[in-house]
Amino acid sequence: SLRLLPLFLAALALSGCGKEGVSALKPEGEVAKEQASLMLISLLIMIVVVLVVGFLFTYAMIKYRKRPGQEDYIPKQVEGNTKLELTWTIIPIILLCILAVPTISKTFALSDNNTSKKSDVLKIKVTGHQFWWEFEYPDQKITTAQDLYIPVGKKVEFDITSKDLIHAFWVPALGGKQDANPGQTNHLWLKADKEGTYKGRCAELCGSSHALMYFNVKAVSDKEFKHWVKDMKAGMKSAPDKDRVLTASAKQGEEVFKNNCMSCHAVGNKGGQIGPNLTNFADRDNIGGFEKHTKSEVKKWIKDPESIKPGAKMPKFGKKLTDDQINALADYLFTLSVKQ
Ligand code: CUA
């Protein structure tokens, strides 16, 4: 078994790697901080227990080892020691209480949902799909996907559900983790302390691209958030046929989009609801939640989504559309920006 040691050490070292920002140990918000402090308490208790038990174990091994030339014998057998038994019962009880009190109180504090004043919170409906995330802002009448905008310092309440099977919504740096179950709504709230982009991901095995079900949480200042809402609302009202000035190629791409993509994808409030809403597609950080946001990646995606996200529901368009049409489509998609 010693031969497995290097493997074990390598696994241990690699377990710290991964996508940047996906760590529950670097909390950036109230919920995440509370949860990290609970982890710390239990870690400290465990360290104390391991040290004490390890010390006693080592002491007994050395003290009562078999010495050379010593004959085999059975040591004095002890049965029943009230003092000792009370000690090893009471100490764990105390340790469990130290762990239980903050755990229970924080569990209730963090599950507090739907109790805040309406004006103090932002409501967002989260829907998990194989393999992407839909975000709906019911009060603002905005629907978007993959990039989740939230204002810094504000309590954000999520109503979480799924369109197909069980996913789990998780933003490690902001805390929480909640199952997204079809036909049911679960609740979670989070708050970001600092502006920045935090990686979110699916935390429930949901198929071949479960590990690729990333999303970005963009925590922005209140002012920037209001600006984004205004721009998005304008974008939600616009649709592909709104008279925008487009290059010839993008114009051609718009036609391709109308004829091939709109039964599943909406731009603004026009189009299908099967795939992600693409209103602010050009403003997004990644394609499919993790790929570089470039035209060449978009074209690869349109030609063969399966090669990037196995199990994606979108059909291959590599055979149906010509390279020319796909180029035009990519040009069009990169005009879908709400930034004024
Ligand atoms: Cu969705 Cu894992």
Side-chain angles (χ1 to χ4, degrees):
S1 66
L2 211 62
R3 264 178 295 165
L4 290 176
L5 191 67
L7 202 67
F8 172 74
L9 290 176
L12 201 67
L14 286 172
S15 66
C17 304
K19 290 268 177 187
E20 211 184 318
V22 184
S23 171
L25 299 175
K26 283 186 212 129
E28 299 285 0
E30 190 180 329
V31 177
K33 280 178 185 158
E34 299 279 3
Q35 289 169 344
S37 76
L38 282 180
M39 282 193 264
L40 196 65
I41 295 176
S42 52
L43 183 69
L44 288 176
I45 292 176
M46 282 187 278
I47 288 173
V48 170
V49 170
V50 166
L51 285 179
V52 171
V53 172
F55 172 77
L56 291 174
F57 180 67
T58 316
Y59 173 80
M61 270 206 310
I62 293 169
K63 169 119 204 224
Y64 299 106
R65 73 188 187 279
K66 193 182 175 191
R67 283 152 174 107
Q70 195 180 38
E71 271 179 52
D72 282 348
Y73 76 103
I74 293 174
K76 196 180 122 202
Q77 299 296 294
V78 183
E79 223 173 282
N81 184 328
T82 316
K83 246 192 226 165
L84 203 60
E85 283 170 18
L86 277 175
T87 311
W88 76 49
T89 308
I90 289 171
I91 291 178
I93 289 177
I94 293 172
L95 292 180
L96 283 179
C97 286
I98 295 175
L99 195 59
V101 171
T103 303
I104 292 169
S105 71
K106 277 175 191 175
T107 301
F108 279 99
L110 296 182
S111 71
D112 142 62
N113 215 347
N114 299 315
T115 51
S116 320
K117 262 194 293 164
K118 214 184 157 205
S119 57
D120 294 341
V121 299
L122 173 69
K123 279 251 176 217
I124 299 177
K125 188 185 169 199
V126 175
T127 309
H129 298 256
Q130 272 178 320
F131 298 95
W132 58 281
W133 295 94
E134 183 177 9
F135 305 115
E136 198 187 326
Y137 299 66
D139 298 328
Q140 287 75 17
K141 298 193 170 52
I142 291 171
T143 302
T144 187
Q146 296 305 88
D147 280 9
L148 170 65
Y149 283 76
I150 59 169
V152 153
K154 192 161 188 152
K155 187 172 177 183
V156 186
E157 287 183 357
F158 297 97
D159 289 340
I160 301 166
T161 188
S162 166
K163 255 279 154 38
D164 33 50
L165 32 76
I166 303 173
H167 304 276
F169 175 84
W170 189 31
V171 191
L174 299 184
K177 185 198 281 174
Q178 187 60 268
D179 275 359
N181 299 338
Q184 187 190 323
T185 302
N186 289 337
H187 306 283
L188 176 78
W189 69 269
L190 297 173
K191 202 189 261 184
D193 291 344
K194 273 200 303 193
E195 285 180 36
T197 300
Y198 306 104
K199 274 282 169 198
R201 58 165 314 162
C202 179
E204 183 67 58
L205 186 63
C206 58
S208 40
S209 284
H210 155 71
L212 302 175
M213 212 171 143
Y214 281 99
F215 59 100
N216 299 307
V217 179
K218 313 193 84 173
V220 297
S221 70
D222 197 47
K223 197 177 147 212
E224 206 179 320
F225 181 74
K226 282 188 178 128
H227 205 85
W228 177 78
V229 168
K230 206 176 121 234
D231 293 344
M232 271 305 279
K233 278 172 106 161
M236 294 304 290
K237 277 181 209 140
S238 76
D241 50 0
K242 203 201 162 200
D243 33 37
R244 291 163 46 222
V245 184
L246 295 175
T247 62
S249 174
K251 197 83 202 149
Q252 187 202 342
E254 187 179 46
E255 283 310 307
V256 179
F257 186 81
K258 279 190 208 162
N259 297 329
N260 295 278
C261 316
M262 275 189 83
S263 51
C264 293
H265 293 282
V267 171
N269 51 17
K270 281 192 191 153
Q273 310 288 325
I274 296 164
N277 185 300
L278 299 176
T279 307
N280 63 340
F281 176 83
D283 305 331
R284 288 184 193 158
D285 277 3
N286 299 99
I287 290 168
F290 62 98
E291 280 285 328
K292 274 200 218 95
H293 201 259
T294 61
K295 274 187 194 170
S296 68
E297 290 300 326
V298 168
K299 285 187 230 167
K300 241 199 270 175
W301 175 272
I302 296 167
K303 280 183 191 158
D304 186 9
E306 185 80 17
S307 69
I308 297 176
K309 224 181 223 186
K313 300 260 164 76
M314 179 170 149
K316 287 183 192 184
F317 280 90
K319 289 222 173 85
K320 204 177 167 209
L321 300 176
T322 65
D323 279 356
D324 201 36
Q325 284 175 309
I326 291 174
N327 282 339
L329 191 51
D331 285 343
Y332 169 67
L333 288 171
F334 274 85
T335 67
L336 298 176
S337 165
V338 297
K339 283 185 185 150
Q340 306 281 327

